[in-house]
Amino acid sequence: MTESGALEVFRQAIWLTLLVSAPLLGLSLAVGFAVSLFQATTQINEQTLTFVPKMVVVLLALVLLGPWMLRQLVDFAGGILGHLGSFVG
């Protein structure tokens, strides 16, 4: 495998990581912002109030988006394994 081929695989892996993690991180960020805004307006400073809604939303997102995320990862791994001969030889 040439250096450009290895860099291309690495670039695809980084892009896939960003693509798969972005929905969960985005939802967690949005819920965290909404909860902190709620806490600031009501002056409730309960620490568990920030974590429980995030955990629930991320769990629901994993249930809904999990099959898509898994399909993306399996397709990438299948592509890598399919071209394994060209990497070694």
Side-chain angles (χ1 to χ4, degrees):
M1 170 182 262
T2 63
E3 288 181 22
S4 62
L7 287 174
E8 179 62 23
V9 170
F10 185 69
R11 185 194 65 79
Q12 289 175 354
I14 295 294
W15 177 249
L16 181 65
T17 302
L18 292 173
L19 182 70
V20 168
S21 65
L24 297 178
L25 292 174
L27 286 171
S28 178
L29 178 69
V31 169
F33 179 73
V35 168
S36 66
L37 190 63
F38 174 76
Q39 283 182 323
T41 56
T42 60
Q43 295 182 353
I44 297 173
N45 291 325
E46 181 63 33
Q47 291 297 330
T48 57
L49 187 61
T50 60
F51 294 111
V52 173
K54 282 188 212 177
M55 288 184 352
V56 170
V57 167
V58 168
L59 180 65
L60 287 174
L62 274 174
V63 168
L64 294 174
L65 297 174
W68 171 77
M69 295 165 75
L70 184 62
R71 173 59 38 208
Q72 296 295 317
L73 294 170
V74 166
D75 288 345
F76 179 74
I80 294 293
L81 293 175
H83 292 89
L84 191 60
S86 66
F87 295 152
V88 176

